[in-house]
Amino acid sequence: MSSDESLTNEALFERAQRVIPGGVNSPVRAFRSVGGTPYFVAEASGPFTYDVEGRRYIDYVQSYGPGICGHSHPAVIEAVRQAAGRGTSYGAPTRDEVLMAEEMCARVGGLEMVRLTNSGTEAVMSAVRLARGVTGRPTVVKFAGCYHGHSDSLLVAGGSGVAQQGLAGSEGVTAGAVADTIVAPYNVVPELDESVAVVCVEPVAANMGLVAPEPGFLQGLRDACDAAGALLLFDEVITGFRLCRGGAAEWYGVRPDIWCFGKVIGGGLPVGAFGASTEIMSGLAPLGGVYQAGTLSGNPLATAAGLAVLGLLDDDAYVQLESTAAALQEGMAGAFAAAGVTAVLPRVGPLLGLFFAEDAPRDFDEARKSADNGRYRLFFHGMLRRGVAFAPGAYEAIFPSLAHTEAEIEATVAAAAATAREMERDSER
Ligand SMILES: *Cc1c(COP(=O)(O)O)cnc(C)c1O
């Protein structure tokens, strides 16, 4: 920093916008859909982030998932510190990559081999290539409102930041790049023909707010894929190791052919992974003909952090995560009801969503109606003024962590009650 006066959110955002597009390195952070100036984080600890002006926020963004143990968990930080002391990247295999792969396969039934990447985007992009390679088929089916990272062929109807920008997909993506992508509505089992290589789905959609799969949807996809000879891909970048030890596949009792992971398994370091049976994964180079690589893949800092996080995620941790999410759900629902604000908080285990609507949406069209009704913006700023940070966009999930205690939940519910009264006054005007 050149001087201390520049350490305000306003001043940093000014400077940021001159040298970084929109002032941010990922669009949702720019506050475009809620308005106002983003807070610049100086540090974070447990359930809290602190901005450069010294304001403290109870944080439910938690880096959009990686912060499952809360920020700066001592075990994670110590693991990263020790790993950094041994060097940051080698371009050669390491022990921790083996431990990481073994740990993931031990937790997820049917997962026999994994390959680590540097992001969830890379994981899904590579997994789709693998699926096309091993099936010899071109078509990818995805669901509207599901986000699978920002690779060309998967950005269509992408939810999350793409939806916040009001974009159907992205400029710069050629018709050719999406020619083999079919978009279907979430929660409806599509008809599959013999051209389909893979059906990609977020088993709990968490990038259009939180939309749970209706009973039978995931099993219906499993059956349809089996009938058509297509592979089923669960994008568990959010749900993996979050819903329970074995992720959404275990939670719903439906086994995909290919899994993608990210977020939680990096403890905040850049990481992703995809995996499948030995048979399918044997299609990958150097065993098979599907090429995939990465200079920093299996990075020693990321694997150290990931192993530390997984080490903390025992059965008790999942019980705690779920009860924290349930307390938040009940408390906030009560606060909205008391103020006469129509809201619904869908929850799947430890994952929570918020819509200002009568009923929980079942697909992207329904999610969009509620997300774009202008209510979230009021909620977001009301909470932020009261020191509680939710994602700056209505299409994101809420991420309570192991570090959120009863005190933070109570403070959050109190802030929600005051914000809800404010929203109700606003709507009467
Ligand atoms: C975040 C996310 C991705 C992309 O992961 P990045 O690490 O941001 O590239 C992919 N799929 C889902 C379901 C996600 O939530």
Side-chain angles (χ1 to χ4, degrees), residues 63-141:
S63 193
Y64 298 94
I68 193 165
C69 304
H71 295 290
S72 313
H73 190 287
V76 178
I77 298 304
E78 187 51 30
V80 172
R81 219 189 281 280
Q82 287 194 12
R86 296 188 296 264
T88 51
S89 185
Y90 317 119
T94 63
R95 180 201 65 176
D96 280 6
E97 292 166 87
V98 184
L99 297 182
M100 187 75 190
E102 285 174 349
E103 181 63 29
M104 291 172 71
C105 292
R107 285 176 182 240
V108 179
L111 185 69
E112 295 174 342
M113 280 190 169
V114 296
R115 170 131 325 151
L116 296 177
T117 62
N118 301 291
S119 68
T121 297
E122 268 183 61
V124 191
M125 183 182 82
S126 305
V128 165
R129 183 182 304 146
L130 175 63
R132 284 173 163 156
V134 300
T135 59
R137 298 173 173 191
T139 307
V140 173
V141 175

Side-chain angles (χ1 to χ4, degrees), residues 134-156:
V134 300
T135 59
R137 298 173 173 191
T139 307
V140 173
V141 175
K142 79 174 288 285
F143 297 91
C146 285
Y147 182 64
H148 301 296
H150 58 91
S151 69
D152 281 1
S153 67
L154 296 170
L155 257 187
V156 258

